[in-house]
Amino acid sequence: MKECKIVRGRLLPSLNAIRTFEAVARHNSFTRAAEELNVTQSAASRLVRSLEEYLQVALFTRQSRRIELTDQGRFYNTLLRDALDLIEAGTVELISSKEGKGTLSIGMLPTFGTRWLLPRLPTFQEQHPEIDLNIVSSDGELDFTKERIDVAIRFGHGNWTDAIIDPLMSEEIQVVCSPKLMAGKHPITSYEALRFHRLIRHSTRPNSWEHWFRSVGAHREDLQWGPSIEHFFMIIQAAIAGLGVALLPTFLIEEDIRTGNLIAPFSDRISGPGAYYLVTSAAKSELPRVKTFRSWLLSQLA
């Protein structure tokens, strides 16, 4: 009788067959896999055979005492290994989440996290010492499963799927430069003076300068483009170093303006084309540690 069957309408082999195949592939040995699973070698071999019969695909080539994954076997092993890793991680997560304990994984934008969130997290840690924090840089396509995060802070328009979305703050942007540029041959005393300087671009927001020029009604002829830089904290340092003129969110550069590291030549503060959001995985939204963090973060904006 085959060990594999269709379960609840899904085309799924038995978990025993899957676990055995993954262990054999990982050890490249029926003997060591059988020892790990506490079964006999013949039982491990029988389970893998049943899986091959069910799939109607050879997963291993067998030559004397040697085995080797086939191309189909390598493909299937990669999928099963990732799936079992997720199941294991979820199991550990639920066990550790009793009474709100466990590790909260936060994916955050590097500069926003450094300038706004990290200075506030000691308060959260003092109030909730039972929750461990795991903080990762996260600014690409949002995938809670792949990144293994519970919540994320993102900039955009609030259109992420399979998530609970809370607006945090809008964004004002303004032009800044180093004191060295202002003291140079072409001080930035008018919009027209920008044509004498290189404009630093944000590579993930390529239309920011166009949005600013359009908003203030300035002309865009004869512009010199400087480097294209990915992260705001790098753009801030580039502007301080005099590499060009930057367009940056006000809340990220208030301290640099106050200390004189940067100068804002214009009073204009333009609303940016987006906002910051707390994005919570819908699948994890009811976990105590996630609910606790979400409630705390939103209270910081009150």
Side-chain angles (χ1 to χ4, degrees):
M1 181 176 180
K2 292 183 179 181
E3 289 287 337
C4 304
K5 58 184 177 180
I6 297 176
V7 181
R8 295 183 182 177
R10 292 178 180 268
L11 194 63
L12 298 175
S14 77
L15 182 57
N16 278 340
I18 288 174
R19 289 178 64 233
T20 303
F21 165 70
E22 190 274 337
V24 173
R26 177 160 34 88
H27 291 294
N28 198 34
S29 167
F30 280 99
T31 301
R32 283 187 287 171
E35 291 172 354
E36 176 186 310
L37 299 172
N38 197 27
V39 299
T40 65
Q41 181 178 341
S42 61
S45 179
R46 178 174 58 82
L47 282 164
V48 173
R49 284 285 189 190
S50 72
L51 182 60
E52 290 177 314
E53 291 174 6
Y54 180 78
L55 298 172
Q56 297 184 353
V57 167
L59 300 173
F60 292 100
T61 57
R62 298 164 174 83
Q63 297 179 353
S64 184
R65 293 180 176 273
R66 293 179 55 201
I67 61 170
E68 185 176 341
L69 284 167
T70 63
D71 290 342
Q72 295 94 330
R74 278 189 289 271
F75 166 76
Y76 200 45
N77 180 51
T78 299
L79 295 180
L80 293 184
R81 183 183 61 224
D82 291 345
L84 291 173
D85 284 347
L86 287 175
I87 293 172
E88 182 180 31
T91 302
V92 171
E93 181 175 285
L94 286 178
I95 292 173
S96 67
S97 66
K98 294 178 181 178
E99 299 178 357
K101 298 180 180 179
T103 299
L104 177 77
S105 292
I106 306 170
M108 67 181 185
L109 300 170
T111 311
F112 182 93
T114 301
R115 297 293 179 105
W116 192 88
L117 181 60
L118 285 178
R120 291 168 169 78
L121 282 181
T123 302
F124 175 81
Q125 200 75 91
E126 290 171 6
Q127 295 175 3
H128 304 283
E130 75 282 1
I131 299 177
D132 295 325
L133 297 177
N134 177 46
I135 301 170
V136 299
S137 174
S138 175
D139 60 356
E141 182 179 353
L142 182 57
D143 188 327
F144 291 105
T145 301
K146 184 180 294 184
E147 297 183 79
R148 297 191 178 184
I149 56 177
D150 304 315
V151 299
I153 293 177
R154 282 289 195 273
F155 183 86
H157 301 282
N159 54 356
W160 295 275
T161 59
D162 300 322
I164 295 174
I165 300 168
D166 296 295
L168 296 179
M169 64 179 71
S170 57
E171 182 180 80
E172 287 185 334
I173 53 178
Q174 64 183 118
V175 173
V176 291
C177 67
S178 70
K180 180 180 178 181
L181 288 187
M182 285 296 290
K185 185 177 180 181
H186 300 288
I188 305 173
T189 55
S190 65
Y191 297 149
E192 288 71 23
L194 288 173
R195 64 190 178 91
F196 296 108
H197 301 277
R198 295 186 181 277
L199 306 185
I200 301 172
R201 293 168 292 181
H202 192 306
S203 60
T204 61
R205 301 191 195 178
N207 298 319
S208 293
W209 274 107
E210 181 180 349
H211 172 76
W212 184 85
F213 277 109
R214 186 170 59 248
S215 297
V216 300
H219 296 292
R220 300 191 292 274
E221 289 81 8
D222 302 321
L223 297 178
Q224 300 183 65
W225 293 111
S228 181
I229 301 177
E230 183 177 6
H231 296 301
F232 274 137
F233 69 85
M234 297 173 70
I235 296 176
I236 292 171
Q237 293 306 312
I240 291 173
L243 197 58
V245 181
L247 186 63
L248 289 161
T250 299
F251 79 95
L252 294 179
I253 52 174
E254 288 174 328
E255 180 66 14
D256 289 304
I257 292 175
R258 187 185 68 78
T259 59
N261 288 330
L262 290 172
I263 291 177
F266 311 124
S267 61
D268 305 278
R269 294 185 177 186
I270 305 304
S271 295
Y276 291 92
Y277 293 87
L278 172 66
V279 190
T280 303
S281 166
K284 296 184 177 182
S285 61
E286 293 303 313
L287 289 175
R289 67 175 185 274
V290 175
K291 293 173 69 175
T292 298
F293 178 76
R294 181 176 173 230
S295 176
W296 171 83
L297 184 59
L298 294 180
S299 75
Q300 297 298 298
L301 306 172

